[in-house]
Amino acid sequence: MKKRNLLMLILAGFISLSLSACGEKSAEKTELTVFAAASMTETLTELGSKYMEANENVTIVFNFDSSGTLKTQIQEGADADIFISAGQKQMNQLDITASAEVNADGSDFVLEGTRFDILENKVALAVPKGNPAGINSYDALIAGLKNGSAMLAMGNSDVPVGQYTQKILWHYELSEENLASAGVITYCSNVKEVTTQVSEAAVDCGIIYQTDAFSAGLTVVDTADAGMCGQVIYPAAVMKSSKNADAAKAFLEYLTTAEADAVFENVGFTPMA
């Protein structure tokens, strides 16, 4: 065999082995676990599917629940690459750079330099189909709570939507304890449960996010302004315990693209990043 032909065979074999090795490398799978507020279920599920279609080696597993529950799970050792909260408080309780008044335990779960505010939402007053109780504003709700004619569904105090609702009640100088004792409030563990209560007309109205109302096809009769409950800002961050920090950063970057913005805006989110 001529030397040139021998060299070509050797080179061909080397290329074949290299391509095989590259193929094995490219076939390596990365699984990202994303802990996200329940109010993001529809949008993140859609965006996750789009991202995985474009990045075949990445699998995204979502855990949707109240931000308070997710925060506790992370503190207790649950594997999470990314956390997206519906409120700053829950993220602050995991961030060592946050005030000690909020992060009293000195929890240090947020990967430095990865936290940012990704979205803004609105706290909405939603009613069942046909609005049987005729509640058309927060003022009307307050009047109904005072005279006992309205039944309100709200989130528990450990979840952001419940905390925003408490602020609205405080804004109107109402005692939540007295209202609960009067039987005009029913509590839910997360915003999706509140949404379900309203959808099934088990209550006269519920305070949820406008994005959840949109997804559930509910009528929003009023939204709270910043003076009533503050801004509803969603922070996002990679967790220090992530074994796939670069992949997690890449997914969060994708969530700030024009494609992602369009999905968020379609249901009522306002992108901030």
Side-chain angles (χ1 to χ4, degrees), residues 1-11:
M1 182 180 290
K2 292 183 180 180
K3 182 183 288 187
R4 181 175 181 277
N5 289 341
L6 179 60
L7 289 173
M8 292 295 290
L9 285 171
I10 293 172
L11 180 60

Side-chain angles (χ1 to χ4, degrees), residues 177-249:
E177 182 179 357
N178 290 343
L179 293 174
S181 296
V184 295
I185 293 179
T186 182
Y187 291 96
C188 303
S189 62
N190 59 49
V191 70
K192 291 301 182 186
E193 287 191 13
V194 181
T195 303
T196 298
Q197 290 280 308
V198 179
S199 297
E200 295 178 350
V203 293
D204 296 314
C205 59
I207 296 179
I208 59 178
Y209 300 119
Q210 69 175 1
T211 53
D212 291 284
F214 178 91
S215 297
L218 293 174
T219 299
V220 172
V221 295
D222 205 353
T223 56
D225 58 38
M228 294 168 65
C229 63
Q231 285 184 285
V232 185
I233 305 298
Y234 287 52
V238 177
M239 298 292 97
K240 288 183 71 174
S241 61
S242 173
K243 297 179 178 62
N244 306 293
D246 288 340
K249 292 176 186 176

Side-chain angles (χ1 to χ4, degrees), residues 28-214:
E28 291 179 1
K29 299 292 186 179
T30 298
E31 182 175 286
L32 290 178
T33 302
V34 179
F35 280 36
S39 52
M40 302 186 74
T41 301
E42 291 80 12
T43 51
L44 280 188
T45 298
E46 179 179 349
L47 289 170
S49 295
K50 291 177 181 291
Y51 190 80
M52 287 186 284
E53 287 176 5
N55 299 271
E56 296 180 353
N57 295 333
V58 178
T59 299
I60 301 175
V61 178
F62 291 107
N63 179 20
F64 295 109
D65 210 321
S66 73
S67 299
T69 297
L70 297 174
K71 182 267 300 183
T72 298
Q73 290 175 352
I74 292 171
Q75 288 177 317
E76 292 178 348
D79 291 329
D81 294 293
I82 292 171
F83 179 39
I84 308 178
S85 171
Q88 299 287 5
K89 178 181 179 180
Q90 289 71 25
M91 186 68 79
N92 286 340
Q93 290 174 333
L94 299 176
D95 190 349
I96 192 65
T97 67
S99 166
E101 293 181 2
V102 181
N103 187 358
D105 299 328
S107 294
D108 187 11
F109 291 87
V110 174
L111 183 62
E112 183 179 359
T114 65
R115 177 177 176 175
F116 66 99
D117 293 336
I118 186 170
L119 298 167
E120 182 176 3
N121 209 339
K122 295 292 185 183
V123 179
L125 179 61
V127 296
K129 184 178 181 180
N131 192 10
I135 297 170
N136 56 18
S137 66
Y138 276 111
D139 288 342
L141 165 63
I142 298 307
L145 291 175
K146 286 181 176 179
N147 65 26
S149 65
M151 173 63 75
L152 168 70
M154 65 176 281
N156 292 333
S157 61
D158 63 337
V159 302
V161 74
Q163 293 160 5
Y164 292 125
T165 303
Q166 287 179 322
K167 291 179 180 179
I168 291 171
L169 296 178
W170 295 336
H171 172 78
Y172 283 97
E173 299 182 344
L174 290 181
S175 166
E176 179 188 351
E177 182 179 357
N178 290 343
L179 293 174
S181 296
V184 295
I185 293 179
T186 182
Y187 291 96
C188 303
S189 62
N190 59 49
V191 70
K192 291 301 182 186
E193 287 191 13
V194 181
T195 303
T196 298
Q197 290 280 308
V198 179
S199 297
E200 295 178 350
V203 293
D204 296 314
C205 59
I207 296 179
I208 59 178
Y209 300 119
Q210 69 175 1
T211 53
D212 291 284
F214 178 91

